[in-house]
Amino acid sequence: MRQAGRSLPEYRRLRGDGDILEAIAKPELAAALTLQPVRRYGVDAAILFSDIVVPLAAIGVGVKVVAGRGPVIDRPFRAPEDLRRLRPLEPEADLAHVLETVRIVAGECEVPLIGFAGAPFTLASYLVEGGPSKNFARTKALMHAEPELWHRIVDRLADIALASLRAQVEAGASAVQLFDSWAGSLSPADYAAFALPASRKVLEGTGDLGVPRIHFGVGTGELLGLMSEAGADVVGVDWRVTLHAARARIGAGKAVQGNLDPAVCLAPVGVVIEETTKVLFDAGGAPGHIFNLGHGVLPETDPGVLAQVVETVHAWQPGTSASEEAGR
Ligand code: 1CP
């Protein structure tokens, strides 16, 4: 549950309202923030407290994370010269603080730690748009107008994500997640041509590490079949597609992750539990389901409700008539 911490008073106290990139750069603080949702909810994995733009900031691409908005790029990418600003990542030097956080958490945490990186398309969208976007117009214009430049940008971003993920696993992360949050804005043809090859480079490039690879996206219902070709072991699904339908699109041999709508968690607790049970039921009894929200926890979510979601998931016994009845 990405950003589960944001709903916690202890997170807001510890994190304060300073710059998130500064908080991420303090290993003891970042490790404590990583562990808070694990301790409070008893979830089965931790996700590193960092951000997808951290490697970009580390190689000198000017980027701020603006409160209430997200990443903002000082000088958005527009021209071939901008490629020079994407130098190779040297994780031990550039991400020393993040890797130290991974080592601390891996040493202290009783559940697996998930390391992560931004997928090339999603990172490129921030670089080209200059910040969060609704329609990704400049990004799509660039990929169609200058496909060669686009491919060079996403290829460099793939190398950066790959280096970052490999270093996180070497430092102790037990799984990796590639966040392609905005891939759902693409048509299947554009996804196949302009996003999939670079994501595949990252996922296949982590295949020898022996850790599960999770491939996340939002609004990707029409892309799930293509995403399943990118090389991950687990494909994330949001609430717009049932897990049952998603499994058919993704094909055998892969697990699914998802897919409770984060907005549902703002409803009365009885409704939330009912919807949680529906997700579990829909996943079926077959192995290979990671229960999760379809996207990040909304900050106004009641932590007590999330605790009950976790309890419901842990109590679920697939195949028993009582559980199945509740899911109908
Ligand atoms: O300071 C804050 O509390 C602001 C909110 C916040 C947080 C908690 C941001 C700004 N980043 C983060 C940390 C973060 N980002 C984590 C750590 C784990 C956790 O807290 O649960 C992770 C895994 C991310 C990954 C991330 N950052 C993604 C991919 C996953 C997703 O949710 O889609 C994306 C797209 C970002 C960019 C980003 N950073 C922050 C925001 C608000 C955004 C999204 C902006 C947008 O809408 O484009």
Side-chain angles (χ1 to χ4, degrees), residues 48-231:
L48 184 68
F49 183 77
S50 182
D51 194 85
I52 59 169
V53 297
V54 165
L56 298 180
I59 61 166
V61 174
V63 50
K64 288 183 211 62
V65 178
V66 177
R69 185 151 178 243
V72 175
I73 308 294
D74 292 343
R75 287 182 295 128
F77 278 40
R78 297 286 145 81
E81 302 82 79
D82 290 316
L83 250 189
R84 266 183 268 145
R85 293 159 64 197
L86 289 180
R87 70 151 168 88
L89 181 76
E90 293 169 27
E92 293 301 333
D94 297 324
L95 295 181
H97 50 284
V98 174
L99 299 178
E100 181 56 19
T101 307
V102 172
R103 285 185 202 103
I104 297 171
V105 176
E108 279 182 26
C109 191
E110 47 292 341
V111 294
L113 171 67
I114 305 172
F116 70 89
F121 170 77
T122 288
L123 284 180
S125 80
Y126 286 112
L127 291 177
V128 176
E129 302 293 334
S133 173
K134 280 207 163 66
N135 57 14
F136 302 92
R138 283 179 183 273
T139 309
K140 293 178 183 181
L142 180 78
M143 67 172 57
H144 284 284
E146 297 191 60
E148 207 173 300
L149 173 60
W150 170 263
H151 283 296
R152 291 171 71 192
I153 293 174
V154 287
D155 192 61
R156 288 203 187 189
L157 292 169
D159 290 338
I160 289 167
L162 185 51
S164 167
L165 291 177
R166 294 191 68 89
Q168 290 175 61
V169 172
E170 277 157 26
S174 309
V176 292
Q177 182 151 198
L178 189 66
F179 282 115
D180 208 354
S181 303
W182 314 130
S185 64
L186 294 172
S187 68
D190 283 358
Y191 179 79
F194 298 112
L196 176 62
S199 285
R200 182 187 281 137
K201 186 176 191 186
V202 182
L203 291 164
E204 289 186 348
T206 44
D208 62 320
L209 297 174
V211 301
R213 294 157 296 171
I214 309 167
H215 192 180
F216 173 93
V218 180
T220 52
E222 297 300 327
L223 305 179
L224 290 172
L226 289 165
M227 283 175 76
S228 81
E229 293 172 21

Side-chain angles (χ1 to χ4, degrees), residues 6-87:
R6 284 200 299 174
S7 62
L8 296 177
E10 62 265 31
Y11 170 87
R12 291 194 287 266
R13 263 197 311 275
L14 189 59
R15 157 97 175 78
D17 19 83
D19 185 339
I20 190 170
L21 296 180
E22 281 174 23
I24 289 167
K26 294 179 186 150
E28 293 291 341
L29 175 62
L33 290 167
T34 301
L35 291 168
Q36 280 180 336
V38 180
R39 301 269 146 84
R40 167 77 89 123
Y41 297 120
V43 284
D44 303 306
I47 182 134
L48 184 68
F49 183 77
S50 182
D51 194 85
I52 59 169
V53 297
V54 165
L56 298 180
I59 61 166
V61 174
V63 50
K64 288 183 211 62
V65 178
V66 177
R69 185 151 178 243
V72 175
I73 308 294
D74 292 343
R75 287 182 295 128
F77 278 40
R78 297 286 145 81
E81 302 82 79
D82 290 316
L83 250 189
R84 266 183 268 145
R85 293 159 64 197
L86 289 180
R87 70 151 168 88

Side-chain angles (χ1 to χ4, degrees), residues 277 280-282 284-286 312-328:
T277 309
L280 292 166
F281 182 70
D282 183 33
T312 305
V313 175
H314 281 161
W316 173 255
Q317 300 199 334
T320 61
S321 55
S323 298
E324 294 198 354
E325 213 42 59
R328 274 182 218 283

